[in-house]
């Protein structure tokens, strides 16, 4: 190797696609050009040697983030969300088409969002498109403009400007996307099941849980499976919370249905039995379910039924969480955890005897593959030089004041977590100082097929 390297990282432990190893990683022009065993003779403009308690990870990929900008930037924004992502070792996020105004349901709205994000991102950002009633003709232009796929709801989304698709419309759009080989990602809860469920009763968490029954998820997922079977489309179930749906997902996959599944740190960390009444910071939809259900989700990750873990970072202002009355029926449903994901998951995983290599696969490699990011999520020659330096034995207590997302609300407040991100690299640049000082923003805006 004759050309000078920009960066060399020596690590006694690094998580590679085929396991852990001691490595020396060489970087030039934002790209990994060398991954080899320990090579102390390798030189570069900057040489970094990790400490004995640190592990080099690929930059994490979070393919489910609500940045809400423009239109609801008081909830979150590109600067604050991507700063939080970088602090948590996440180097790539894919932004959801809602709750911004306008939602990303046509090319003009995508361009507004890209203009809003330009120059404001600490990490790389891509965009999902939206599928809503009446915009079938917009799906192909959005696909050609570089969105990573399309999101739809099967019930009210929570915001009126992003309405739900009904059965016939969903089939029409899936047929259109099958012709493009584009993915539909789906918030799968059945509207009629929830309409017929008991209404939530103020601050009782159990009542809220009963108002969003597992059956609503199960029925919606069953519908999605059959529509995917008929149309041949690729479908992805967002934020799975009901473990009851796992057997039919496994069966569908055996039949050749192109279906993938994600879940989230809050479903893998918390349990319904432990959530206090009135604690609306825990409200999300679908809801956090019981501890036995949580165990089944972990098992489904280990057997490959669930492919990846993403945040579903869905923030709002403090007023919308209705802490004044603690009413689950009135509060906004969303959990903010973008900065804490790897720590929350590693805390649970190590207690279950699950290795760090599995966690990295679920939070870096698999989300990158899901979104079609061929250079992301793995430490390998030719890949993006995105890294997180992780101290797996560090413990800390979550202080909301230390979080970078716009509104310091999180159900993790006061919780002790194990594993801390000490520094983050984007395209070979250590952006840790930028995070701390709110300094330079070097993230790129990504198009499908270009990263």
């Amino acid at each position: 190797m004759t050309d000078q390297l920009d960066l060399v990282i020596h690590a006694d432990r690094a998580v590679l696609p085929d396991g852990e190893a001691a490595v020396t990683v060489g970087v030039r022009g934002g790209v990994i050009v060398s991954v080899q065993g320990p090579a102390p003779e390798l030189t570069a403009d900057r040489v970094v040697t990790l400490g004995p308690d640190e592990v080099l990870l690929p930059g994490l990929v979070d393919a489910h983030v609500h940045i809400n900008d423009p239109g609801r930037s008081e909830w979150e924004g590109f600067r604050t969300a991507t700063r939080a992502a970088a602090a948590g070792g996440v180097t790539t996020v894919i932004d959801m088409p809602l709750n911004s105004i306008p939602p990303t349901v046509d090319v003009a709205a995508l361009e507004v969002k890209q203009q809003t994000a330009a120059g404001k991102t600490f990490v790389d950002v891509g965009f999902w498109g939206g599928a809503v009633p009446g915009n079938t003709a917009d799906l192909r232009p959005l696909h050609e403009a570089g969105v990573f796929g399309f999101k739809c709801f099967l019930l009210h989304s929570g915001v009126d400007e992003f309405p739900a698709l009904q059965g016939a419309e969903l089939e029409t759009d899936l047929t259109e996307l099958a012709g493009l080989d584009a993915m539909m990602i789906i918030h799968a809860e059945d509207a009629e099941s929830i309409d017929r469920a008991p209404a939530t009763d103020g601050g009782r968490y159990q009542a809220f849980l009963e108002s969003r029954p597992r059956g609503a998820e199960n029925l919606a997922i069953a519908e999605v499976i059959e529509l995917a079977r008929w149309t041949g489309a690729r479908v992805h179930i967002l934020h799975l919370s009901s473990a009851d749906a796992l057997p039919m997902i496994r069966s569908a996959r055996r039949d050749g249905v192109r279906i993938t599944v994600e879940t989230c740190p809050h479903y893998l960390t918390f349990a319904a039995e432990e959530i206090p009444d009135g604690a609306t910071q825990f409200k999300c939809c679908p809801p956090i379910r019981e501890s036995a259900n949580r165990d089944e989700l972990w098992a489904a990750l280990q057997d490959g039924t669930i492919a990846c873990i993403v945040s579903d970072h869905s923030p709002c202002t403090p007023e919308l969480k209705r802490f004044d009355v603690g009413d689950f029926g009135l509060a906004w449903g969303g959990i903010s955890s973008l900065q804490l994901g790897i720590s929350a998951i590693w805390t649970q995983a190590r207690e279950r005897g699950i290795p760090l290599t599995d966690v990295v696969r679920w939070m870096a490699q698999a989300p990158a593959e899901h979104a079609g990011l061929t250079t992301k999520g793995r430490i390998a020659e030719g890949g993006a030089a995105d890294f997180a330096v992780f101290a797996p034995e560090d413990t800390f207590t979550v202080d909301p004041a230390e979080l970078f997302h716009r509104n310091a609300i999180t159900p993790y407040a006061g919780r002790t977590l194990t594993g801390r991100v000490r520094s983050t690299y984007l395209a070979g640049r250590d952006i840790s100082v930028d995070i701390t000082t709110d300094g330079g923003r070097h993230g790129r805006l990504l198009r499908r097929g270009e990263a």
Side-chain angles (χ1 to χ4, degrees):
M1 185 177 301
T2 57
D3 294 335
Q4 178 74 356
L5 296 170
D6 304 325
L7 171 69
V8 164
I9 301 177
H10 301 288
D12 290 340
R13 292 178 64 191
V15 175
L16 307 179
D18 56 355
E20 275 198 23
V23 298
T24 295
V25 178
V27 174
R28 185 186 305 112
V31 176
I32 299 170
V33 296
S34 173
V35 180
Q36 56 184 295
E41 74 283 357
L42 212 57
T43 63
D45 295 339
R46 184 180 184 201
V47 177
V48 175
T49 300
L50 301 194
D53 63 334
E54 296 177 329
V55 185
L56 185 67
L57 311 182
L60 306 179
V61 175
D62 194 332
H64 192 151
V65 179
H66 293 268
I67 295 178
N68 305 334
D69 197 10
R72 290 190 174 93
S73 56
E74 70 276 13
W75 294 17
E76 189 62 282
F78 284 100
R79 182 183 65 83
T80 50
T82 59
R83 190 180 179 197
V90 177
T91 53
T92 305
V93 302
I94 313 293
D95 175 57
M96 285 291 161
L98 74 163
N99 304 300
S100 56
I101 302 174
T104 316
V105 295
D106 55 37
V107 172
L110 174 64
E111 291 172 348
V112 168
K113 184 166 281 194
Q114 291 169 328
Q115 291 162 9
T116 302
K120 296 179 182 177
T121 65
F122 286 90
V123 302
D124 291 348
V125 177
F127 302 93
W128 296 107
V132 297
N135 85 322
T136 302
D138 293 298
L139 302 182
R140 181 180 290 272
L142 277 166
H143 178 74
E144 292 172 349
V147 299
F148 284 79
F150 297 87
K151 180 177 185 177
C152 72
F153 277 75
L154 304 187
L155 79 172
H156 194 281
S157 68
V159 293
D160 291 339
E161 68 274 6
F162 200 94
L165 285 180
Q166 304 305 314
E169 296 168 305
L170 177 59
E171 183 172 0
T172 296
D173 284 0
L174 286 175
T175 300
E176 175 74 5
L177 296 187
L180 302 172
D181 197 30
M183 181 184 295
M184 183 75 89
I185 63 175
I186 301 168
H187 183 125
E189 288 181 284
D190 180 70
E192 185 175 359
S193 298
I194 289 177
D195 287 345
R196 291 173 179 266
T200 190
D201 180 17
R204 288 200 309 117
Y205 187 78
Q206 183 59 36
F208 170 60
L209 195 60
E210 292 168 358
S211 76
R212 313 286 295 216
R214 296 188 194 202
E217 264 191 280
N218 303 337
L219 184 58
I221 291 169
E223 178 187 8
V224 168
I225 287 170
E226 295 314 305
L227 288 173
R229 191 191 310 274
W230 301 338
T231 62
R234 291 193 293 146
V235 296
H236 179 78
I237 303 300
L238 298 167
H239 46 52
L240 181 71
S241 86
S242 172
D244 292 350
L246 293 167
M248 64 175 145
I249 292 166
R250 294 183 182 108
S251 176
R253 198 170 292 159
R254 285 194 300 269
D255 290 346
V257 175
R258 299 199 292 169
I259 182 170
T260 52
V261 186
E262 68 183 41
T263 193
C264 306
H266 39 276
Y267 300 127
L268 298 165
T269 297
F270 303 116
E273 302 94 321
E274 302 165 359
I275 296 175
D277 289 346
T280 53
Q281 66 269 30
F282 289 89
K283 180 180 177 180
C284 57
C285 299
I288 295 163
R289 303 193 188 278
E290 300 83 359
S291 59
N293 183 87
R294 177 182 61 190
D295 292 343
E296 290 188 66
L297 295 178
W298 274 106
L301 280 161
Q302 291 175 276
D303 71 21
T305 306
I306 299 174
C308 54
I309 303 171
V310 293
S311 68
D312 189 12
H313 180 72
S314 185
C316 66
T317 59
E319 296 78 19
L320 290 175
K321 276 295 186 183
R322 295 310 304 265
F323 296 123
D324 55 335
V325 292
D327 190 321
F328 284 99
L330 299 176
W332 173 258
I335 285 179
S336 299
S337 64
L338 185 53
Q339 188 171 333
L340 300 171
I342 184 71
S343 301
I345 291 300
W346 175 236
T347 300
Q348 295 294 314
R350 70 195 294 272
E351 291 177 359
R352 296 167 182 268
I354 296 170
L356 185 58
T357 49
D358 285 355
V359 171
V360 171
R361 185 175 74 253
W362 297 327
M363 302 190 74
Q365 184 174 332
E369 291 171 352
H370 157 57
L373 293 161
T374 58
T375 68
K376 301 281 192 173
R378 47 199 288 147
I379 298 174
E381 291 182 6
D386 299 347
F387 310 108
V389 177
F390 187 62
E393 301 305 318
D394 265 11
T395 61
F396 66 101
T397 300
V398 177
D399 178 357
E402 296 178 355
L403 301 178
F404 291 124
H405 61 260
R406 177 150 292 163
N407 295 289
I409 306 166
T410 178
Y412 293 93
R415 194 173 186 94
T416 298
L417 301 179
T418 301
R420 186 193 293 268
V421 174
R422 289 189 177 164
S423 57
T424 303
Y425 290 76
L426 180 71
R429 179 194 297 267
D430 185 347
I431 59 174
S432 306
V433 173
D434 296 332
I435 300 165
T436 304
T437 63
D438 196 13
R441 301 174 193 110
H442 305 284
R444 297 175 299 147
L445 302 185
L446 305 177
R447 289 170 48 97
R448 187 195 71 263
E450 295 183 353

